[in-house]
Amino acid sequence: IAKWRAADYNNNQPRAWLGLQEDWRARANAAQQNSFEAFPLFAAGTLLALVSGTDVATIATTCWVFVIARILYVYCYVTDKATLRSIVWLVGLIAAVRLYLLAI
């Protein structure tokens, strides 16, 4: 999203270019970075819940809540809806933690 329709985008130095961005492009990049940081917690929780023998439908529902929360999180981040973004982030975190609790 950060690179979308950017006339001055430099693929030779993508990180340097992203570091110079402001407004929605900078927020889009930050949302992407946060998503990369959130994924390991989610992936590990999903695997633990699966190997623990938890009902697959329950796991799937919890995973969908996480995925939808992350999509909404990116939308809120890019459109600068800070309070709603924090609430949606919390929903995603709760879904990820629930996977660990299901594994117990």
Side-chain angles (χ1 to χ4, degrees):
I1 295 172
K3 299 173 191 173
W4 186 60
R5 290 191 173 181
D8 63 336
Y9 174 68
N10 181 354
N11 198 39
N12 293 322
Q13 299 282 337
R15 292 182 187 207
W17 182 86
L18 283 167
L20 297 172
Q21 299 311 300
E22 297 177 353
D23 300 321
W24 70 271
R25 289 189 191 279
R27 290 191 303 272
N29 186 49
Q32 174 181 265
Q33 294 303 317
N34 185 273
S35 295
F36 288 145
E37 295 164 1
F39 180 74
L41 178 72
F42 167 70
T46 302
L47 291 174
L48 287 171
L50 285 170
V51 298
S52 73
T54 301
D55 177 54
V56 176
T58 303
I59 296 170
T61 301
T62 305
C63 288
W64 276 113
V65 169
F66 178 85
V67 169
I68 291 167
R70 293 309 302 181
I71 292 168
L72 290 172
Y73 174 83
V74 170
Y75 171 78
C76 291
Y77 212 142
V78 172
T79 58
D80 202 19
K81 298 177 184 349
T83 303
L84 184 57
R85 180 187 83 213
S86 295
I87 293 168
V88 172
W89 177 86
L90 183 61
V91 170
L93 178 64
I94 290 169
V97 169
R98 182 170 191 249
L99 291 167
Y100 289 88
L101 295 175
L102 290 171
I104 295 175

